[in-house]
Amino acid sequence: MAKLERPVDLDLNKVYRNRVSRLGIELEGGWRQLPPNTRLHRDGSVNVDDPAPLAIGELPSPHLLPSDMPAWMRKYYPHVVNHTCGMHVHMAFGTALMYQRLMDPRFPATVIFYMARWAAEQDLPEDHPIWPRLRGDNIYCKHQFFADAQARMQDKDFNQTRDGNRYTFINYCFSRYGTAECRGLPMMNTVDQAISAIQQLLTITNAFLVATRKREEKFSAQIMAPDDTLIEEHIIRL
Amino acid sequence: MMTTTQVLGLTGCALAVVVFRKECHKLDATLVKSGETRININISRSHLGLTLTVSAVPFIEEMIRGMGNGEILPVKGAGRHWVPLEPKELLYYQLAGPLGPVRGDPGYFRLDRVGMPLIEPHPDRPSDVLNMSMLRLVGIGEGPGVRFGVRGVYTLEGCRNIATSLQQAIREFYVAYLKPVNISVIVTTQEFTP
């Protein structure tokens, strides 16, 4: 297990080429009325209430183009959310190389740093559920990095302490979904704020890929002939 | 002075077994120094996952072919994780029999997982197994060797660890099973005074 490294300096005012080919969003909360043809997944960690009856659980999106994300969010965002509701964002990329370049302990550190800046710019209050997640105080999005072990996991695992468990701020669930999952965002009080948070995450990701771009290292496993080739002569006396 | 002698020259795989009947005197040991690269594997991250280039001296490929039953098969029939990067098809030498994980130092390795990921969990132990089956590819002993892609994603540190582990495991395999050893055994019924 590795600790996160220092965040990379990014210029988020620039416009970057988008490298995220598809998005998957998991919304949690309560719905007073579900959109047509919608079925929620059960999630025992979601605990919301309202004077009106609610359908409570998790709603995963289909594979979305980043440009289609805002419209889908406005259509399906839950009516009631609180601190028990997380908003997980899965990002897929066009090549394995793009994905691998995010398998870098600086990436989650950079996401955390610039999401904290975004949260401050949004004037999110001190008791907003995003702050414990950004501080590393939430056990479902720990500030830890073990990307290689996570990328090999094919099964969903609820063990929170196993080496390679999925409960990190960025979870590299490549073998299971082909995505990198940001588990650090909570559900926001408004859908516009949630859309803004996801767009910030995409900007950070695209900017990180540009800022850390460099020629890939090559590694070599070389077996030379051993130092000596032995020629032995033995006498056996019967 | 020797009256009845039998000189047995044994050259080849170090798996050859010599049975000593009574006493054995080591007469001479000649060291021959050599710095030739016997096996080379280059690894880098690429758009597919990893790109590997495997090359070896021709006798290595001959030795590995000799460990099989002579059959040559397409890699795509064994697993979907290896992808050809050259116009010709990826082929491999079939093994003579089933194998499993082999315990090495420091970890386990195996040669019976052609077309599969480079690292997999051990079927019976809480550890990983390094896949060295690329040594069975047809053509590693010809020219620049064989270049192919392996699906999967790795950190840079992960790649470095794979290269280090491959170096250790292949060296161990080479010394144990492939390194040429010349042994001459002289069997005599009389005292032999050099």
Side-chain angles (χ1 to χ4, degrees):
Chain A
M1 182 189 73
K3 289 183 181 176
L4 305 189
E5 293 190 8
R6 289 176 62 85
V8 172
D9 286 332
L10 303 177
D11 181 357
L12 297 186
N13 294 318
K14 280 185 176 177
V15 175
Y16 294 94
R17 181 177 172 181
N18 176 50
R19 297 290 186 178
V20 180
S21 60
R22 289 289 188 275
L23 277 176
I25 316 289
E26 296 168 17
L27 301 176
E28 294 178 356
W31 285 259
R32 296 189 187 103
Q33 186 177 10
L34 284 171
N37 303 316
T38 305
R39 210 177 73 174
L40 296 183
H41 293 189
R42 189 184 173 282
D43 189 328
S45 67
V46 179
N47 189 6
V48 294
D49 57 41
D50 192 73
L54 293 176
I56 298 173
E58 177 188 293
L59 177 60
S61 76
H63 296 171
L64 298 169
L65 291 174
S67 55
D68 294 338
M69 178 270 294
W72 184 88
M73 291 280 283
R74 290 200 167 88
K75 183 176 179 181
Y76 291 97
Y77 206 75
H79 303 104
V80 182
V81 299
N82 66 14
H83 67 283
T84 66
C85 305
M87 182 171 69
H88 297 173
V89 182
H90 288 257
M91 298 181 286
F93 300 85
T95 68
L97 184 58
M98 281 300 130
Y99 190 103
Q100 289 179 109
R101 289 184 47 217
L102 295 177
M103 294 175 72
D104 182 328
R106 296 174 298 173
F107 177 61
T110 305
V111 172
I112 290 166
F113 180 83
Y114 285 99
M115 286 310 304
R117 182 181 285 187
W118 172 88
E121 289 167 355
Q122 296 284 313
D123 287 326
L124 297 183
E126 279 183 19
D127 61 351
H128 193 280
I130 200 173
W131 296 115
R133 292 164 180 264
L134 293 174
R135 281 196 303 265
D137 293 339
N138 187 304
I139 60 172
Y140 298 108
C141 49
K142 296 185 289 262
H143 292 193
Q144 293 173 349
F145 180 84
F146 22 72
D148 284 311
Q150 287 176 333
R152 293 205 297 268
M153 287 301 296
Q154 294 194 335
D155 302 322
K156 197 168 188 177
D157 185 356
F158 296 92
N159 185 328
Q160 295 177 17
T161 56
R162 181 187 53 77
D163 196 36
N165 71 79
R166 61 191 175 98
Y167 296 98
T168 53
F169 201 96
I170 302 290
N171 170 32
Y172 295 90
C173 44
F174 183 84
S175 289
R176 186 168 170 82
Y177 298 119
T179 63
E181 177 191 23
C182 177
R183 299 176 53 84
L185 298 179
M187 292 295 291
M188 301 295 169
N189 290 333
T190 67
V191 65
D192 286 331
Q193 204 164 60
I195 291 169
S196 174
I198 294 173
Q199 286 172 334
Q200 175 79 348
L201 174 65
L202 297 181
T203 301
I204 294 168
T205 301
N206 288 319
F208 181 89
L209 286 170
V210 170
T212 58
R213 182 174 49 199
K214 66 174 184 177
R215 185 181 291 272
E216 281 292 317
E217 277 184 64
K218 280 190 180 172
F219 302 96
S220 188
Q222 207 172 62
I223 312 302
M224 307 288 284
D227 290 342
D228 47 283
T229 300
L230 201 59
I231 300 174
E232 293 188 1
E233 196 171 82
H234 295 261
I235 295 290
I236 300 174
R237 182 167 62 86
L238 299 179
Chain B
M1 184 174 176
M2 292 183 286
T3 55
T4 304
T5 61
Q6 287 174 310
V7 177
L8 306 173
L10 301 171
T11 302
C13 179
L15 285 176
V17 176
V18 175
V19 178
F20 297 95
R21 295 289 296 275
K22 200 167 183 181
E23 288 181 41
C24 176
H25 302 274
K26 186 170 163 182
L27 274 189
D28 191 21
T30 306
L31 302 183
V32 176
K33 293 201 181 290
S34 173
E36 183 184 15
T37 299
R38 297 300 173 98
I39 303 171
N40 189 72
I41 301 179
N42 288 332
I43 303 170
S44 62
R45 299 192 306 186
S46 61
H47 68 287
L48 267 177
L50 294 181
T51 293
L52 270 68
T53 305
V54 185
S55 61
V57 290
F59 91 83
I60 297 274
E61 183 171 352
E62 285 303 312
M63 295 291 287
I64 292 173
R65 176 156 67 176
M67 294 170 71
N69 58 11
E71 246 187 307
I72 292 176
L73 299 169
V75 167
K76 63 184 179 189
R80 60 176 182 82
H81 291 264
W82 296 9
V83 181
L85 296 179
E86 293 161 344
K88 54 186 178 181
E89 192 178 15
L90 269 181
L91 301 170
Y92 72 99
Y93 297 110
Q94 177 70 299
L95 284 175
L99 277 180
V102 177
R103 184 172 177 85
D105 182 21
Y108 290 89
F109 63 87
R110 62 193 307 171
L111 288 127
D112 57 347
R113 298 287 283 171
V114 170
M116 302 305 279
L118 289 187
I119 297 179
E120 293 181 290
H122 193 292
D124 306 313
R125 287 178 169 76
S127 73
D128 289 331
V129 183
L130 180 67
N131 185 0
M132 285 173 21
S133 308
M134 70 283 293
L135 295 180
R136 294 168 54 198
L137 287 173
V138 173
I140 64 171
E142 298 168 24
V146 177
R147 185 168 153 267
F148 67 104
V150 179
R151 297 189 200 282
V153 292
Y154 299 87
T155 62
L156 277 177
E157 189 65 30
C159 278
R160 191 176 294 118
N161 291 341
I162 288 173
T164 303
S165 298
L166 271 176
Q167 175 138 346
Q168 291 170 336
I170 293 177
R171 179 176 175 82
E172 200 168 313
F173 175 74
Y174 174 81
V175 170
Y177 298 105
L178 300 177
K179 170 187 167 185
V181 175
N182 295 332
I183 303 176
S184 288
V185 179
I186 300 171
V187 180
T188 177
T189 56
Q190 282 197 350
E191 191 77 31
F192 177 76
T193 307

